[in-house]
Amino acid sequence: MSNNVIERLFKLQEHGTTVRTEIIAGLTTFAAMSYILVVNPGILGLSGMPVEGLITVTAIAACMGTLMMALMTNYPIALAPGMGLNAFFAFTICLGREIPWEAALGIVFWNGILFLLLSLTGVRTKIAESIPPSLKIGVQCGIGLFIAFIGLKNAGLIVDNPATFVQLGDLSEPAVMLALIGIIFTIVLMVKRVTGAILISIVTLTLIGAFIPTENGTLTATPSAVVGMPESISNTFMAMDFWYPIDHLAETWDLIFALMFVNMFDTIGTLIGVSRKANLLTPEGKLPKIGSAMTADASASIAGALVGTSPVTSYVESATGVSAGGRTGLTAVVVSVCFLLSLFLTPLMKVIPLMATTPALLMVGILMMESIRQVDFDDLGALATASVALIAMPLTFSISEGIALGFITYVGIKVGTGKFKEVTPLTYALAIVFLLRYLLDLK
C-alpha cells in the first residue's frame, strides 16, 4: 500500500502522525491485549465448547472487529472477545443456566443484532442516559470481581469448602504458589508501567512451569513445534443455534438484555476514555463518530458469533497504543495484522497452563474495579446500589443476577425514600420485570 493511499485512507498528516508512529502504536496495543489469545480459549473451553480451534476463532474475531473499527471510524481502537462477556457466556449462560454452547452463540448473535439496531436508530443513547450511574459502576466493578474470582479459582488459590463455601487453597502445591508469585510479579510490572506486562507474565510463568514436575510430566507441556499452521474453526463456524433464543425467549430474554447492557456501557466507557486520551473528543466532550464506532462494535459481535466466540468489544488496552502516538485507524490495522500473524504460534500458545492466565484475570478484574472511585460515597443509596450489584456477581457466580438485584435495589431505595420521580420509566420497567422473574420463578 503506497503512502498516498495510506494518507487518503487514514489522514495521517491531519492527525499529526506518521506511518512509523502508527506501526509502533499498533504493536504496543497488540502487546498489551494479546493475552486474550490465551485467556479467551481457556474460559470458553470451560463452557463445553471444543477447545480445538478456539485460538484461531479468537484471533479471527479480533482481526475482523478491529478492521471494522479502523475502516468505519479511523480510530486507533482495537477489538477482541471481551473479558467479562466471555465469563458471562461460559459461567452464566452455559454452566449456570445449562444452555448448550451452540444456543449460547445464538444468544450472542441476537444480542449483536439488537445492539446494532439500537446503535443505528440512536435509541442506544437514550438507554444509556436512563440507567443510574451507581448501577453502571456497580456492574462494571462486579464484573471485575467476578473475573478476578474466576482467576483465583482456576489456579486453586480459592477452593470450595462445605462449611464456609470457599477457603484458601493449598499453597504448598507448586502450581498454586507459582500463580500467587505470578500475581505479585504482574502487579509490579503494571505499577512500573511496563508495556505488555500481562503478556510478559504469562510467558514467564509458562517458562517456569516447564521446569516444575507433575505426575504427568511438567506443569508446562512440551510444544509439538514452535510455529505451525492455524487450527481449523470447523467445530464452531456457523455452529450457533439461531432459533434457540426465539423458541426459548422466556428463558433467554434476560441473558440477551444483560449481554447488551454490559456490552453497551463497556463499549461507551472504553470509546470515550481512549478517545479522550487521543484528543479525538469535541470541546463539548463528545465523540464525533460514536454512532459508527458503536455500529462497528455491534457488527463485530455478530461476526464473532458466526465464527464461534463470545461478544467482541472495544479494548481499553488501546490506550497504550494511543500513549505511543497512535491517532488513526492505521494503528488498528496493524493490530489486526498482528492477530493474524500470531496464529502461526498456535503450538506455543496451546501449552500455556491455566495457572499462567490467573494473573491476567486478576489484573483485568483489578483494573475494572478502578471506577469504584466514581461512586458518591456521601450518598448511601448510590453506594448501596453499587455494592449490591458488585457483591452479588461473584457470590451468585452470575453477572445477570447481579444486574437484576442492582436494578431492584435501586428502585426499592428510591421508592422507599420518596424519590420515586428520580427513577426513569425504563429503570422502573426493568426492575419490575426482574422482580416478577424471581417471584414467578421464570428462570
Side-chain angles (χ1 to χ4, degrees):
M1 188 181 294
S2 68
N3 288 338
N4 289 336
V5 174
I6 292 176
E7 179 60 37
R8 284 201 304 272
L9 279 175
F10 302 109
K11 300 178 175 61
L12 302 185
Q13 292 184 7
E14 179 183 323
H15 289 85
T17 184
T18 65
V19 172
R20 180 177 181 276
T21 299
E22 295 291 298
I23 291 175
I24 292 174
L27 294 174
T28 302
T29 296
F30 177 74
M33 64 182 291
S34 57
Y35 65 86
I36 195 63
L37 288 168
V38 178
V39 176
N40 192 57
I43 291 177
L44 294 186
L46 299 175
S47 71
M49 294 184 74
V51 178
E52 189 80 13
L54 286 182
I55 292 176
T56 307
V57 165
T58 302
I60 290 176
C63 176
M64 290 192 301
T66 303
L67 274 179
M68 287 180 191
M69 183 66 74
L71 299 178
M72 293 175 69
T73 68
N74 196 28
Y75 289 158
I77 296 174
L79 287 78
M83 292 297 297
L85 295 169
N86 51 13
F88 185 94
F89 180 99
F91 296 101
T92 298
I93 300 178
C94 295
L95 297 179
R97 296 287 184 89
E98 298 183 345
I99 293 176
W101 64 266
E102 296 91 343
L105 288 177
I107 291 173
V108 172
F109 177 82
W110 283 110
N111 157 72
I113 292 293
L114 181 59
F115 193 17
L116 179 60
L117 291 175
L118 293 176
S119 298
L120 292 175
T121 59
V123 177
R124 158 195 51 79
T125 304
K126 295 180 180 179
I127 294 177
E129 293 173 349
S130 68
I131 305 299
S134 58
L135 187 54
K136 297 176 189 176
I137 296 168
V139 168
Q140 182 176 358
C141 294
I143 293 173
L145 278 182
F146 185 47
I147 292 173
F149 184 70
I150 290 171
L152 295 173
K153 175 179 174 294
N154 287 347
L157 279 162
I158 297 295
V159 296
D160 65 319
N161 182 296
T164 61
F165 297 109
V166 292
Q167 67 177 23
L168 184 66
D170 185 1
L171 294 182
S172 66
E173 288 288 333
V176 179
M177 178 55 72
L178 185 57
L180 178 59
I181 294 172
I183 290 170
I184 298 171
F185 176 60
T186 306
I187 294 173
V188 169
L189 292 179
M190 294 291 290
V191 170
K192 290 181 173 292
R193 300 184 183 278
V194 176
T195 299
I198 294 178
L199 175 62
I200 292 172
S201 169
I202 291 175
V203 172
T204 302
L205 293 182
T206 300
L207 290 174
I208 294 174
F211 299 96
I212 297 179
T214 65
E215 294 180 358
N216 300 316
T218 56
L219 190 58
T220 300
T222 303
S224 58
V226 175
V227 296
M229 293 301 294
E231 295 178 338
S232 170
I233 64 172
S234 59
N235 288 327
T236 60
F237 181 68
M238 296 296 290
M240 67 177 181
D241 188 338
F242 180 85
W243 294 109
Y244 185 94
I246 297 175
D247 294 336
H248 301 81
L249 188 60
E251 303 170 26
T252 61
W253 73 267
D254 62 314
L255 299 174
I256 296 174
F257 168 77
L259 272 178
M260 187 199 70
F261 181 92
V262 174
N263 201 356
M264 179 182 298
F265 293 109
D266 183 45
T267 300
I268 292 174
T270 299
L271 289 174
I272 297 299
V274 175
S275 299
R276 180 178 289 111
K277 197 174 186 66
N279 296 318
L280 297 173
L281 301 182
T282 65
E284 295 76 27
K286 296 183 178 180
L287 185 60
K289 299 179 182 177
I290 191 169
S292 298
M294 297 290 281
T295 299
D297 203 287
S299 301
S301 284
I302 296 172
L306 295 176
V307 297
T309 188
S310 52
V312 178
T313 190
S314 303
Y315 261 59
V316 72
E317 283 84 354
S318 302
T320 60
V322 169
S323 296
R327 292 295 181 271
T328 74
L330 182 55
T331 293
V333 171
V334 172
V335 175
S336 64
V337 171
C338 287
F339 270 113
L340 284 185
L341 293 178
S342 67
L343 285 176
F344 296 98
L345 297 177
T346 296
L348 288 179
M349 287 187 277
K350 288 183 65 177
V351 302
I352 295 175
L354 191 62
M355 164 277 305
T357 66
T358 292
L361 292 169
L362 191 70
M363 200 65 243
V364 170
I366 291 172
L367 293 175
M368 293 183 73
M369 283 290 296
E370 284 185 337
S371 61
I372 193 67
R373 71 179 75 173
Q374 299 172 19
V375 174
D376 183 0
F377 280 81
D378 293 327
D379 183 344
L380 184 57
L383 179 60
T385 298
S387 298
V388 167
L390 184 157
I391 295 170
M393 287 186 191
L395 295 186
T396 63
F397 219 67
S398 171
I399 292 173
S400 62
E401 304 297 0
I403 292 173
L405 291 174
F407 269 98
I408 294 170
T409 300
Y410 174 78
V411 172
I413 291 172
K414 289 297 182 183
V415 172
T417 55
K419 299 178 180 179
F420 51 88
K421 290 184 179 180
E422 296 181 7
V423 183
T424 63
L426 177 62
T427 303
Y428 268 125
L430 290 171
I432 291 170
V433 171
F434 281 130
L435 185 60
L436 288 175
R437 190 192 72 168
Y438 289 124
L439 293 176
L440 301 177
D441 196 24
L442 300 176
K443 291 187 285 181

